Amino acid sequence: MSIQPVESKRHHVVVIGSGFGGLFGVKALKKADVDITLVAKTTHHLFQPLLYQVATGILSVGEIAPTTRVILRNQKNAEVLMGEVLDIDLTAKTVTSKLLERETVTHFDSLIVAAGAQQSYFGNDHFAEFAPGMKTIDDALELRGRILGAFEQAELSNDQEERDRLMTFVVVGAGPTGVELAGQIAELADRTLDGAFRNIDPRDARVILLDAAPAVLPPMGEKLGKKAADKLEKLGVEIQLNAMVTDVDNDGLTVKEKDGTTRRIEAQCKVWSAGVQGSPLGKQLADQSESETDRAGRVIVEPDLTVKGHPNVFVVGDLMSVPGVPGMAQGAIQGATYAAKQIKASLKGADATQREPFKYFDKGSMATVSRFNAVAKVGKLEFGGFIAWLMWLALHLYYLVGYRSRITTVISWFVTFLGRGRAQMASTEQQVFARLAIEQLNSLEPSPPAVDGDGNRREEKAAG
């Protein structure tokens, strides 16, 4: 293990995370007189809103996850450092990251933390073994394997009860991701796989959308929620609301009704999209400042998106808690652009105490329900159907990074939505079980002790 300090002669900006907040923060500083280090634990920029299309065979990984280094190769003041951030020291102004057994300590003058959020199981993290989330490429590929594998197992079974369990798909969480995923699983079974098997009819698949809330798409309002629910039900999706999941295992899950009664749903394939939890780095920042975190672990930032007492440390994206700003790409992009603007102003001598507060401009929210159908809310305007779906396509194409990604995505959508085919239907056993194997391996192998700059052992802090 080695520690390699990274120093910069110019004002050094460190950006943590390669999502929308991180990437747009770096790009907004392209012409600034600064050196930028982007620290990320993955090599790619992930367009997370389209993960469900990877999981259901519509898009390839490359179409929604271009390589960060390639995106930034022409930005001469930016470098990319791969590694998982373990520690942020606000006093020393350092960020410690780790890749395999190599630790790197990077000094910063200004810091943009866009570490994002992870799936939340509301204190029941063991559910993840049986119901993966939808936050990473690994999640999407694992889910694709679980969905297609369930049909393959059902084809081999002669037991009707077992077939019913294998062909029951449960999506927990009726937010945008849950709605989009449930709709695509239903269309995959009804259109793409129709006629592909000899012993089963994929159209017999049962797709259930569960949520403890009393409505579908709660943030978008009752009208659009009902539109989405009606369309899902026409696709054959069973919507079960006011239903709280209390236990999950390999063969199904237990649900608690509003009246306190419980029931069992037998289902091999489950996916969790019911909540998010901020990166553990949020607590680190709060512990070192006078800031606090909310119930989801997000940092309650100042009006200028900084942590208390540190006007050079900005928190943006899913890790920031700002009233009225949803955990969406737009919030991350606008927050990162704002932070970059403040950093550039400070280089010209601007007083940090006189900053204009961050103002979020709501450009609306959308969710697809099925092919040719979506719901959209833009200001006070609420509508659904084909027009909303076209707007959804255009918006997502606009935010895809890279000209080639847009072209290939259009082709994939054309094949899927106008025909029955899906180009990305390959899955492997390794994709399904690799995550579980890695988690088991990590639990068996103790982590080697970290050392400080003098070679002394030190206790490692929470991973980010």
Side-chain angles (χ1 to χ4, degrees):
M1 181 183 300
S2 62
I3 299 181
Q4 302 176 341
V6 177
E7 298 181 354
S8 172
K9 294 181 180 179
R10 294 197 293 179
H11 187 94
H12 193 201
V13 181
V14 173
V15 179
I16 299 175
S18 60
F20 285 105
L23 184 63
F24 278 79
V26 172
K27 286 191 164 191
L29 291 167
K30 183 176 183 178
K31 296 181 180 180
D33 186 25
V34 298
D35 289 320
I36 310 163
T37 299
L38 173 65
V39 187
K41 61 182 178 181
T42 63
T43 61
H44 55 266
H45 162 68
L46 178 61
F47 194 94
Q48 202 173 82
L50 291 177
L51 268 178
Y52 77 95
Q53 293 199 6
V54 173
T56 53
I58 298 173
L59 298 179
S60 70
V61 168
E63 288 167 316
I64 70 165
T67 304
T68 311
R69 290 186 182 279
V70 174
I71 297 171
L72 297 174
R73 63 183 167 189
N74 293 324
Q75 186 168 335
K76 301 305 180 183
N77 68 340
E79 67 171 352
V80 178
L81 181 66
M82 187 177 178
E84 183 173 12
V85 174
L86 302 176
D87 180 56
I88 299 174
D89 190 325
L90 296 183
T91 301
K93 294 186 177 181
T94 59
V95 170
T96 302
S97 57
K98 182 177 181 181
L99 176 63
L100 299 176
E101 299 306 314
R102 182 183 299 274
E103 282 192 358
T104 304
V105 178
T106 308
H107 176 270
F108 66 83
D109 295 303
S110 294
L111 178 66
I112 299 177
V113 184
Q118 57 198 26
Q119 204 72 61
S120 172
Y121 291 86
F122 307 107
N124 299 292
D125 291 348
H126 58 286
F127 288 1
E129 179 180 350
F130 311 106
M134 280 292 289
K135 289 295 180 183
T136 68
I137 287 174
D138 289 332
D139 290 338
L141 293 177
E142 178 181 351
L143 181 58
R144 184 199 296 175
R146 287 180 179 238
I147 293 171
L148 298 177
F151 285 109
E152 295 295 343
Q153 292 177 67
E155 173 79 352
L156 297 174
S157 176
N158 293 317
D159 185 300
Q160 188 58 48
E161 185 175 328
E162 182 185 31
R163 278 187 178 179
D164 291 341
R165 176 177 62 81
L166 290 166
M167 293 178 64
T168 297
F169 303 87
V170 179
V171 180
V172 182
T177 299
V179 166
E180 291 170 336
L181 186 57
Q184 283 307 315
I185 294 175
E187 290 199 330
L188 173 68
D190 288 347
R191 289 177 53 82
T192 306
L193 298 180
D194 182 26
F197 294 88
R198 298 296 174 262
N199 296 321
I200 62 170
D201 184 348
R203 294 174 299 179
D204 292 336
R206 184 184 179 198
V207 182
I208 301 173
L209 180 62
L210 274 176
D211 203 305
V216 172
L217 296 175
M220 298 185 73
E222 182 180 353
K223 178 182 175 182
L224 292 182
K226 188 175 186 310
K227 278 182 178 290
D230 290 345
K231 182 59 181 177
L232 286 174
E233 288 175 342
K234 288 181 180 179
L235 291 173
V237 176
E238 299 177 32
I239 299 175
Q240 301 180 11
L241 303 173
N242 294 307
M244 180 183 296
V245 176
T246 58
D247 194 21
V248 184
D249 58 41
N250 186 64
D251 296 326
L253 36 74
T254 302
V255 175
K256 183 179 180 181
E257 301 287 6
K258 191 175 182 179
D259 62 6
T261 60
T262 61
R263 57 187 170 88
R264 170 85 176 172
I265 300 176
E266 298 293 331
Q268 177 164 300
C269 186
K270 290 85 60 181
V271 60
W272 193 275
S273 64
V276 295
Q277 181 74 22
S279 163
L281 293 179
K283 187 176 186 304
Q284 280 196 31
L285 292 173
D287 288 345
Q288 295 179 64
S289 65
E290 298 178 6
S291 299
E292 298 179 353
T293 57
D294 63 12
R295 294 178 60 185
R298 298 171 298 187
V299 181
I300 301 174
V301 294
E302 297 297 282
D304 63 352
L305 305 187
T306 62
V307 296
K308 285 185 178 179
H310 298 273
N312 62 325
V313 178
F314 298 84
V315 182
V316 303
D318 289 346
L319 191 56
M320 72 177 183
S321 178
V322 178
V325 181
M328 298 167 57
Q330 269 302 315
I333 293 170
Q334 292 182 34
T337 303
Y338 170 87
K341 180 180 178 180
Q342 305 314 312
I343 291 172
K344 287 187 285 188
S346 68
L347 294 176
K348 297 178 181 179
D351 185 353
T353 62
Q354 302 300 315
R355 288 173 179 166
E356 289 284 338
F358 170 69
K359 293 182 180 179
Y360 174 68
F361 177 65
D362 188 357
K363 296 184 179 180
S365 54
M366 303 178 185
T368 57
V369 183
S370 62
R371 68 190 192 107
F372 309 142
N373 194 288
V375 291
K377 183 176 182 179
V378 182
K380 295 182 179 181
L381 185 62
E382 298 180 355
F383 57 100
F386 185 67
I387 298 299
W389 183 76
L390 288 179
M391 289 180 60
W392 182 93
L393 291 181
L395 182 67
H396 283 68
L397 279 176
Y398 177 79
Y399 283 113
L400 274 176
V401 177
Y403 178 76
R404 184 177 180 276
S405 294
R406 294 189 181 105
I407 295 298
T408 56
T409 299
V410 167
I411 294 172
S412 297
W413 282 346
F414 182 85
V415 170
T416 301
F417 298 137
L418 296 183
R420 296 171 57 190
R422 298 187 182 212
Q424 305 298 324
M425 296 290 285
S427 66
T428 68
E429 185 177 11
Q430 181 171 306
Q431 290 171 339
V432 177
F433 296 107
R435 175 181 61 87
L436 300 179
I438 291 173
E439 289 177 354
Q440 291 175 2
L441 182 63
N442 288 339
S443 67
L444 294 175
E445 294 184 0
S447 300
V451 297
D452 61 20
D454 299 321
N456 299 316
R457 290 174 60 146
R458 65 176 174 82
E459 185 177 349
E460 229 174 60
K461 297 185 179 180

